[in-house]
Amino acid sequence: MRTSRCAALLAAAAVVLPLAGCDTGGSGGATSGTSAAPTPSPWIAGYLRDMSLREKVGQLFVPAFSTPAAARAMVRRYDVGGLIYFPRNMKSPAATAALSNDLQKAARTPLLLSVDEEQGIVSRAPFLTDFPGNMALGAGRSTTNAREAARVTASELRAVGINQNYAPDADVNINPANPVIGVRSFGADPKAVASLVGASVAGYQDAGVAATAKHFPGHGDTNVDSHTGLPVIRHSTTQWNRIDAPPFRAAIGAGVDAIMSAHIVVPRLDRSGKPSTLSSGVLTGMLRGRLGFQGVIITDSLLMAGVREKYGDASVPVRAIQAGADQLLMPPSLPKAFDAVLKAVQKGTISRKRLDESVTRILRLKERRGLFKGLTADPRKAQAAMRTAAHRRVATTVAEHSITLVRNDGGTLPLRRRAAFVTGPGSGPLRTALRAQGVRVVGSARMADVTVVTVFNGRPVIPGGKPAVVVALARPYALNDAGRAKAAVAAYSASGVSVKAVARVLSGKLGPTGKLPVKAAGKPIGHGLTYAAPSSP
């Protein structure tokens, strides 16, 4: 990093801001705060003036990488502002921590090392404590649990040198057919989603990791996946204010460092017909103007079809910056995208002032997260920071609070002293977990008193003859097709911690307390039955 440059700037600024940044200080890298738009530290203006045009343009990019050598080459040639990690880049906690340190050492300006770690079905780091995901938190309705889950995840990410997470998902999932959000959302109630988003932002940033609320202006009411097509959401301004905006307002109120744009068209909010990522009406008019967000706006992946259908790969990054984005995630070709933005600035298509605004916001975020302090990860301690007993207890609490008993005709549950045949996709772990809870699991429906049927996202296959219990291990909407079952349970997740919680509920060792965060099985949001668990195991 630029230690000599930092030292000179600090000396000049010391009268007004002692230890304002660089390798000898910083501004609260480990706290969330409430300032999405703080006054830039005096040293940042000097740092910006000392950057070349190429260095400034490089700060706008967050590419993926295949190998450490490829990452170092991008850092050195393009001065990228950050890099995104995927499982291929995270072989072990120690190796990831060492890689993070190596990349930071190669960078002239500290890097935002990011990951898309929502937990649940979007989980990239294979060594983290396993959590069920957002909709399970929505069923548990606890802001304390949401904040703690985010804090645990962030502390483990920080231990391997990752300092930005593309979470939480702030979409309000009101469309059961939504193919891309679903259980990634906290639910369908805007007020409840907003409270959990705010808590999650605080949890991530309490642990020193930049949170990123997504996908603005709201991706919860579509039946098209923006990875493969361009969704159109026809919410009016009134609907948007009531449904989609509250979670983003909550994130901003919690001091969220960044917000990610969605590759969706919102014709009743913006008449341009452009994807929101490329729309100044959405990014500058709505997010900056109407909601007052002054932090970093990052695009969703530029590899996705939703932003590539109409415009070429050289045009998209230029249009995104013109629209108000600050960082460009995963350009299909970094050389092509970099050259396009550089030429646009040189020609005045993107003004120098506009470029400096984005780079200032990026530097300010890096300062808030303590990146100019020269912080490093400790590869020797990284493994010990993962999946600690305390962290696993938080995950267990989240899972156990989420299990929702949606229907229980005739007291079919719990399964005390009754034989159960367990079938369906992914049912093996549930069979094992039920046996561990003392349930007699048998090999055929003919031998059973009750059939337990697992389902992910399709229709449950319910055999006749015996009372059936349907357990939704993913989207609770699958219970809409469970009408023949005597009992229905929503778990929102097939993670190991959720399956164990389901087994405890089915066995009667744990009384269900979750409430539906979406409409399902003909029941409203907030519905959930219970029964008493025994006072002792």
Side-chain angles (χ1 to χ4, degrees):
M1 291 184 286
R2 300 181 175 82
T3 52
S4 59
R5 179 183 295 182
C6 287
L9 290 170
L10 284 168
V15 173
V16 292
L17 188 66
L19 304 180
C22 303
D23 290 326
T24 57
S27 62
T31 59
S32 59
T34 57
S35 56
T39 301
S41 300
W43 72 269
I44 287 182
Y47 193 97
L48 185 71
R49 284 194 301 271
D50 205 26
M51 296 175 78
S52 70
L53 177 59
R54 286 184 62 90
E55 288 173 330
K56 290 179 182 180
V57 171
Q59 289 299 296
L60 308 180
F61 290 95
V62 184
F65 61 97
S66 55
T67 65
R72 286 191 293 270
M74 288 189 286
V75 168
R76 289 171 175 150
R77 181 172 182 180
Y78 295 104
D79 287 290
V80 293
L83 294 159
I84 180 172
Y85 282 28
F86 282 92
R88 64 177 178 264
N89 312 125
M90 297 180 284
K91 303 301 183 185
S92 70
T96 306
L99 174 61
S100 297
N101 292 342
D102 185 46
L103 294 175
Q104 293 289 13
K105 186 178 179 180
R108 289 190 283 187
T109 296
L111 295 164
L112 285 167
L113 297 177
S114 60
V115 68
D116 197 8
E117 183 58 59
E118 298 176 16
Q119 290 283 8
I121 63 172
V122 178
S123 182
R124 309 298 189 193
F127 41 71
L128 298 183
T129 299
D130 189 19
F131 279 86
N134 283 352
M135 195 166 282
L137 284 161
R141 298 160 294 138
S142 169
T143 54
T144 298
N145 285 352
R147 186 166 185 158
E148 277 297 285
R151 183 194 61 77
V152 165
T153 298
S155 69
E156 294 182 356
L157 292 175
R158 191 78 190 213
V160 298
I162 294 173
N163 49 50
Q164 182 170 16
N165 193 14
Y166 298 136
D169 190 297
D171 300 310
V172 180
N173 198 83
I174 62 171
N175 190 335
N178 194 323
V180 65
I181 304 300
V183 293
R184 297 168 64 190
S185 166
F186 288 107
D189 178 357
K191 184 177 179 180
V193 173
S195 67
L196 295 168
V197 166
S200 294
V201 167
Y204 287 123
Q205 296 184 181
D206 283 346
V209 169
T212 308
K214 60 187 185 185
H215 308 80
F216 190 84
H219 207 320
D221 188 13
T222 176
N223 58 5
V224 175
D225 185 345
S226 53
H227 291 84
T228 58
L230 181 57
V232 177
I233 295 180
R234 302 188 183 278
H235 286 188
S236 66
T237 300
T238 299
Q239 288 173 308
W240 179 79
N241 274 312
R242 178 173 56 84
I243 298 170
D244 304 291
F248 292 101
R249 288 195 179 100
I252 293 167
V256 71
D257 281 330
I259 289 179
M260 180 180 286
S261 67
H263 303 327
I264 60 174
V265 174
V266 284
R268 298 181 69 184
L269 305 178
D270 170 48
R271 297 179 181 178
S272 71
K274 299 175 183 176
S276 294
T277 295
L278 309 181
S279 166
S280 60
V282 173
L283 299 188
T284 301
M286 294 172 63
L287 184 50
R288 294 266 186 239
R290 190 173 302 179
L291 298 190
F293 179 60
Q294 295 303 311
V296 169
I297 298 175
I298 184 167
T299 71
D300 206 341
S301 169
L302 298 185
L303 284 168
M304 294 165 61
V307 77
R308 298 176 76 186
E309 279 193 349
K310 188 174 180 180
Y311 304 102
D313 290 343
S315 175
V316 164
V318 173
R319 290 173 179 270
I321 298 299
Q322 290 172 327
D326 301 306
Q327 285 201 304
L328 304 161
L329 180 61
M330 298 173 62
S333 167
L334 177 61
K336 180 184 289 187
F338 182 94
D339 288 346
V341 174
L342 179 64
K343 289 176 182 176
V345 176
Q346 290 169 335
K347 293 178 180 178
T349 308
I350 296 173
S351 71
R352 300 289 180 115
K353 179 177 181 291
R354 173 70 191 85
L355 176 64
D356 284 355
E357 288 171 351
S358 283
V359 177
T360 296
R361 281 190 281 263
I362 293 163
L363 295 176
R364 195 169 61 207
L365 187 161
K366 293 179 176 183
E367 181 198 25
R368 281 203 304 277
R369 293 300 135 224
L371 304 192
F372 287 96
K373 293 179 181 179
L375 300 177
T376 58
D378 189 339
R380 297 168 300 175
K381 297 180 179 179
Q383 180 64 59
M386 305 296 132
R387 298 179 177 174
T388 67
H391 290 179
R392 294 197 307 271
R393 283 195 294 270
V394 175
T396 296
T397 297
V398 169
E400 291 188 345
H401 287 184
S402 73
I403 307 304
T404 307
L405 180 59
V406 179
R407 184 165 64 250
N408 193 23
D409 296 345
T412 302
L413 294 175
L415 296 173
R416 296 171 190 148
R417 294 180 295 279
R418 280 183 285 177
F421 171 62
V422 185
T423 184
S427 57
L430 182 56
R431 280 194 291 273
T432 300
L434 283 169
R435 288 190 182 105
Q437 295 300 324
V439 174
R440 185 159 63 95
V441 178
V442 296
S444 70
R446 182 179 56 82
M447 301 165 59
D449 301 310
V450 177
T451 298
V452 177
V453 180
T454 58
V455 62
F456 288 124
N457 300 319
R459 290 173 174 265
V461 179
I462 304 173
K466 298 292 173 69
V469 178
V470 175
V471 179
L473 293 176
R475 299 179 181 224
Y477 311 112
L479 298 179
N480 292 342
D481 296 311
R484 289 176 51 206
K486 290 291 186 180
V489 175
Y492 314 98
S493 168
S495 65
V497 69
S498 291
V499 169
K500 289 178 181 178
V502 168
R504 293 198 69 207
V505 167
L506 296 185
S507 69
K509 300 287 182 64
L510 176 70
T513 59
K515 305 293 183 185
L516 283 174
V518 297
K519 296 177 181 178
K523 303 299 183 182
I525 295 170
H527 169 81
L529 307 174
T530 192
Y531 43 73
S535 57
S536 60

